[in-house]
Amino acid sequence: MPRDGAFRVSAPPTGWVCDLMSGERLLLWAYRSWLEGLTARQPTRHQEVWNGLSRQLGSEPARRLLGALSRLIYRCVREAQGEIAYHPNCCRQVAPDECRLLGLVAATGHHETALARNQAARLLRGGSGDDLLSPAADIARVLQEAGYDLPLRRTDDRSEAILRAVEALPTLDRSLPN
């Protein structure tokens, strides 16, 4: 947060990792790596996340961030009304659910409760997102204490429609002409 107490409202993510702030990139890397470790049943991926975060943040903040991140992921997996979409770390694009996650954490960090609830509900596709608010706030707090800026990226119906369209692209019938 800037010293004057104000915060910036920036445009919604463009869908490219290179356009994210360093705190967003760090969170995205940890999120993707943790999910890759879960889905591939590779505990070494979790060790890589721990090593990277503890080098970057220190052991105590890394422990707090990983605890909150694992709670958030567990609740997403348990409550989601559909699949949670994410890209591998080598991908330069940001998936729609990843945009929603970044928006959720930023909104809780800026104490925008209504926006955070909205992002959580969209991340779960209509599920009750209240269980996501506490771990998201913990993640935001750890990142802010470490000096990472999480810009508040407000979304509207138009940007949410774009995210839904991006999600639908892989399922479109390719036999139909454009």
Side-chain angles (χ1 to χ4, degrees), residues 15-120:
W16 297 103
V17 173
C18 63
D19 293 332
L20 300 176
M21 302 289 289
S22 59
E24 293 172 306
R25 286 193 306 270
L26 180 64
L27 175 57
L28 183 62
W29 169 80
Y31 177 74
R32 286 176 170 183
S33 297
W34 199 261
L35 283 172
E36 286 173 1
L38 285 176
T39 58
R41 299 184 195 277
Q42 294 178 336
T44 56
R45 298 293 291 155
H46 295 160
Q47 185 63 42
E48 290 171 10
V49 177
W50 164 252
N51 291 341
L53 288 176
S54 61
R55 268 193 314 272
Q56 196 71 24
L57 305 172
S59 61
E60 182 55 33
R63 184 174 290 110
R64 290 179 19 229
L65 191 141
L66 277 178
L69 183 64
S70 65
R71 286 192 321 271
L72 188 136
I73 289 172
Y74 172 75
R75 290 174 180 159
C76 282
V77 169
R78 186 185 70 205
E79 300 290 330
Q81 306 294 319
E83 289 185 6
I84 303 295
Y86 70 98
H87 290 306
N89 268 321
C90 60
C91 187
R92 295 179 294 177
Q93 290 185 308
V94 180
D97 283 341
E98 294 169 340
C99 287
R100 293 179 185 114
L101 169 81
L102 295 173
L104 166 64
V105 173
T108 58
H110 289 285
H111 308 289
E112 293 279 338
T113 307
L115 181 60
R117 280 195 172 106
N118 187 331
Q119 289 292 347

Side-chain angles (χ1 to χ4, degrees), residues 149-170:
D149 181 32
L150 291 174
L152 187 61
R153 301 178 189 273
R154 294 195 185 273
T155 58
D156 56 14
D157 291 338
R158 181 177 170 268
S159 58
E160 184 58 30
I162 292 169
L163 291 177
R164 284 194 307 274
V166 169
E167 287 173 327
L169 282 176

